[in-house]
Amino acid sequence: MSQSQKSRVGFKSCGVTSTKFKSHKERRERRVILLNERSTFSSGGDVCENLDKMAQFGFENDIHSILKLDMPITNAPMARWQRKASSSNTAGLSSLSPGKSANVSLSSSKTPTKTPGKGKKTPSKMGGDRFIPIRSNKQMDVANFLITKENEPVDANTSVSSESQKFWSVTLNGYNIEDAKILHLGGKPLNAPEGYQNNLKVLYSQAMTPASLKKNRYISSSPDRILDAPDLRNDFYLNLLDWSSRNILAVALNNNVYLWDAAQGDIHLLMKMEREEDYISSLSWTKEGNYLAVGTSDCKVQLWDVENQKRLRSMASHTARIGVLSWNDHILSSGSRSGQIHHHDVRVADHHISTLAGHSQEVCGLKWSPDGRYLASGGNDNLVCLWPRVQEGSSNRDGQLIRCLNEHQGAVKALAWCPWQSNILASGGGTSDRHIRTWNVNTGSCISSLDTQSQISSLLFAPNYKELVSAHGYAHNNVVIWKYPSLTKVAELNGHDGRVLNLILSPDNTTVATVAGDETIRLWKCFEMDPATKKSKERLVKSASSVIHQSIR
């Protein structure tokens, strides 16, 4: 046996072969085995001891052949440049199909195309990276076609059904073109992990902040205060309560007039009728709140200086009791049971300057508009009359009626002008009518009408919340707040045991005072403003007053 044959026999006896390995991994493992067997071979039995230098040379040649990397690696992962080329070729050749991805590899290899380590998700504090959709060239072309198709005018002559269009689209394109989308997001959003906090919510949240929330106003159903009013005359046609701009409440109790200081709580007796059979029938404060006009059952109007508790004058012109009074600067208008209305200029001795004759029965409602242009009167003859302002120096002592509103079916005592719309008048009818009606005095048209199912004795507008307040007699005997102009009910104030005769608003427009046949006066704090709104209004008033003061200087 030659040395080369012995060498091959020695290798076979040691389990070593010179076969070329197919994979890099197998080569590596074989290399370790050969190194281990080499040590065994050098220290082995008799056969290994007789090997010469030729066996050593053959061994080294086999080792070099094992360690060579000159053979192609068939099962190794694709190179990155090969993957990119494969994906771009696939994108160009693939067709658009709804519900299927456009990136399908053309390689038939089962080797995974993911880069090692890319399967792990990178943790994100903001809940993950944005989603970037896959768009192919054909998708963009189809989307452009659909957008231009929407802008084109529709041809009424085409009668192709949607089913036919879908059939042709599937036949030509392989899918329904109407289902093609550039980007389609569907399904329910995933729930955030437990304990996750989105910091962007502070900046981009659409939730309303507490300051911008619409607050529900609380209106107490109980009065803020109750005052006794003994010996009050329970007469629907009289006006026995008024509140001055200096926060003094005046009330007529039979033949006495009492003053209640709302700020201090003090009560004073202003006057008393000389004869026991006479009584007070109406009260009205001047705009400044320092003088009080008192109408009596003996057909006179008295003017009182409240601060000095002194009667300034007594004006006689009527022939019947004076049930209602209303001021317009220095002109005092009075309505009586005779149906006449007299204008008094309190600055001159000959005070009676004009007579208005438009009612056939007792005048029980009388109000000047806030701008002083019109006088509204209501009577027991179910009429509402509108009168012009008194002209200075006019020789005509009889006023001309502007218009007469005759839609009420009962006595009209309740009258109120809207402070923020000077041409709007609200009127309320008695037991036979029970309706609140709002009028445009410029046109004489009735804007709205509401059946309250109860006698209406008094009306007023609350400017803080732009609401209308009504006082009722039979059958509800309560006070109702209505939203203006919708006349939807906001709240009901119950508590009086008798019919409510009058109501009046406090000078700060937050409290309503009501007087009823149960001989009580109740104060309802219903219109308190939000502190922020109140401060802003106060700033506007101060700025306006400063501008006026500078213009006077």
Side-chain angles (χ1 to χ4, degrees):
M1 182 181 293
S2 65
Q3 292 294 332
S4 61
Q5 290 176 342
K6 290 180 181 179
S7 176
R8 286 193 291 272
V9 169
F11 271 98
K12 289 180 181 179
S13 63
C14 295
V16 179
T17 180
S18 60
T19 306
K20 293 184 179 180
F21 302 106
K22 293 184 178 181
S23 67
H24 180 66
K25 183 176 180 181
E26 290 176 352
R27 290 184 183 184
R28 239 180 1 203
E29 293 175 353
R30 202 63 182 169
R31 178 185 178 187
V32 174
I33 295 171
L34 286 174
L35 290 175
N36 293 334
E37 290 182 349
R38 180 182 178 184
S39 61
T40 305
F41 172 76
S42 62
S43 60
D46 296 335
V47 177
C48 293
E49 292 176 354
N50 295 327
L51 289 177
D52 54 5
K53 293 181 180 180
M54 290 300 294
Q56 180 68 22
F57 178 76
F59 173 75
E60 289 178 355
N61 285 340
D62 289 337
I63 293 297
H64 284 300
S65 65
I66 292 172
L67 297 178
K68 279 185 179 180
L69 298 176
D70 55 353
M71 293 187 66
I73 303 173
T74 57
N75 292 332
M78 294 176 63
R80 187 174 181 182
W81 64 272
Q82 290 176 330
R83 292 200 306 272
K84 285 189 176 180
S86 175
S87 62
S88 61
N89 293 334
T90 305
L93 296 174
S94 63
S95 61
L96 178 65
S97 179
K100 293 184 179 180
S101 174
N103 266 344
V104 181
S105 177
L106 294 176
S107 175
S108 60
S109 174
K110 297 183 180 179
T111 306
T113 58
K114 291 186 178 179
T115 305
K118 291 292 183 178
K120 297 181 180 179
K121 294 183 179 179
T122 304
S124 174
K125 293 182 179 179
M126 302 312 296
D129 200 357
R130 58 179 180 162
F131 170 73
I132 302 177
I134 299 172
R135 304 184 181 97
S136 67
N137 294 330
K138 193 168 183 181
Q139 271 184 301
M140 301 303 294
D141 294 340
V142 171
N144 185 40
F145 167 74
L146 292 176
I147 292 174
T148 55
K149 180 183 175 183
E150 289 179 356
N151 297 329
E152 292 178 356
V154 180
D155 190 0
N157 297 328
T158 59
S159 60
V160 182
S161 64
S162 60
E163 293 296 328
S164 300
Q165 290 180 355
K166 182 177 179 180
F167 173 78
W168 284 110
S169 178
V170 172
T171 303
L172 295 175
N173 303 308
Y175 60 92
N176 186 9
I177 197 171
E178 298 294 337
D179 295 335
K181 300 288 189 301
I182 300 176
L183 175 63
H184 177 72
L185 302 177
K188 295 182 179 179
L190 298 176
N191 295 327
E194 186 176 357
Y196 169 74
Q197 292 182 352
N198 188 358
N199 297 328
L200 290 178
K201 188 175 182 181
V202 178
L203 298 176
Y204 303 104
S205 175
Q206 295 182 355
M208 299 177 71
T209 57
S212 64
L213 290 174
K214 187 175 181 181
K215 298 178 180 178
N216 292 325
R217 178 167 120 248
Y218 172 73
I219 301 176
S220 176
S221 58
S222 302
D224 186 61
R225 183 172 295 187
I226 301 176
L227 305 175
D228 287 330
D231 299 327
L232 180 80
R233 296 187 72 88
N234 189 1
D235 192 330
F236 174 80
Y237 299 98
L238 306 184
N239 293 271
L240 307 176
L241 188 69
D242 201 13
W243 206 329
S244 76
S245 59
R246 298 188 178 186
N247 209 16
I248 304 295
L249 189 67
V251 58
L253 303 179
N254 197 14
N255 54 4
N256 301 307
V257 175
Y258 287 92
L259 305 178
W260 178 68
D261 189 338
Q264 304 295 330
D266 300 331
I267 300 175
H268 302 283
L269 175 64
L270 178 65
M271 63 158 290
K272 182 178 180 178
M273 297 292 293
E274 297 176 357
R275 298 188 304 173
E276 290 293 331
E277 61 270 17
D278 293 334
Y279 57 89
I280 310 298
S281 54
S282 57
L283 297 173
S284 182
W285 288 98
T286 58
K287 184 178 180 180
E288 297 74 18
N290 51 349
Y291 299 109
L292 179 66
V294 180
T296 61
S297 61
D298 60 354
C299 314
K300 296 179 182 178
V301 178
Q302 299 182 19
L303 190 60
W304 283 79
D305 182 353
V306 175
E307 187 175 353
N308 298 317
Q309 293 194 358
K310 179 181 178 181
R311 187 176 72 179
L312 300 178
R313 65 186 304 177
S314 179
M315 298 176 290
S317 61
H318 286 285
T319 58
R321 73 175 184 183
I322 301 167
V324 62
L325 299 167
S326 183
W327 285 93
N328 185 17
D329 293 333
H330 54 273
I331 302 297
L332 175 63
S333 302
S334 58
S336 73
R337 181 178 274 180
S338 65
Q340 290 186 342
I341 300 170
H342 291 182
H343 291 320
H344 308 272
D345 189 342
V346 298
R347 302 172 299 175
V348 298
D350 189 9
H351 56 87
H352 183 202
I353 60 174
S354 180
T355 299
L356 309 179
H359 293 279
S360 59
Q361 297 186 37
E362 182 171 9
V363 179
C364 49
L366 202 63
K367 290 286 183 181
W368 279 101
S369 62
D371 56 6
R373 294 174 57 198
Y374 301 108
L375 175 67
S377 62
N380 197 32
D381 54 2
N382 309 341
L383 298 179
V384 177
C385 297
L386 294 176
W387 309 89
R389 183 172 186 168
V390 180
Q391 298 296 326
E392 295 284 345
S394 176
S395 59
N396 185 10
R397 297 177 63 90
D398 295 329
Q400 298 296 320
L401 180 66
I402 297 176
R403 58 174 45 92
C404 186
L405 310 175
N406 56 6
E407 293 190 19
H408 284 287
Q409 304 299 318
V412 183
K413 177 190 177 186
L415 294 171
W417 290 92
C418 181
W420 58 90
Q421 286 181 288
S422 59
N423 63 322
I424 299 299
L425 173 69
S427 60
T431 308
S432 303
D433 183 72
R434 305 180 304 275
H435 280 74
I436 296 175
R437 289 182 169 88
T438 56
W439 311 85
N440 185 340
V441 296
N442 293 334
T443 61
S445 60
C446 181
I447 301 173
S448 60
S449 178
L450 175 69
D451 187 359
T452 64
Q453 302 295 323
S454 185
Q455 178 191 48
I456 304 169
S457 56
S458 189
L459 287 172
L460 62 84
F461 281 94
N464 283 0
Y465 291 93
K466 293 190 175 181
E467 293 169 336
L468 181 64
V469 188
S470 59
H472 298 273
Y474 179 81
H476 295 158
N477 300 333
N478 63 353
V479 178
V480 182
I481 302 174
W482 311 89
K483 193 65 182 177
Y484 180 82
S486 61
L487 294 183
T488 56
K489 186 180 293 186
V490 177
E492 288 188 15
L493 307 178
N494 299 298
H496 283 293
D497 296 329
R499 64 178 175 181
V500 183
L501 299 172
N502 298 99
L503 60 81
I504 192 69
L505 192 63
S506 63
D508 61 357
N509 299 325
T510 63
T511 306
V512 172
T514 57
V515 62
D518 57 0
E519 298 185 349
T520 62
I521 299 173
R522 297 173 186 256
L523 307 181
W524 313 84
K525 212 172 187 65
C526 306
F527 307 104
E528 280 191 301
M529 295 180 62
D530 182 70
T533 309
K534 186 177 181 181
K535 286 183 180 179
S536 63
K537 283 196 173 184
E538 288 176 354
R539 285 195 217 101
L540 289 175
V541 171
K542 286 181 180 179
S543 62
S545 62
S546 63
V547 170
I548 293 172
H549 187 63
Q550 290 174 3
S551 63
I552 292 174
R553 286 182 179 179

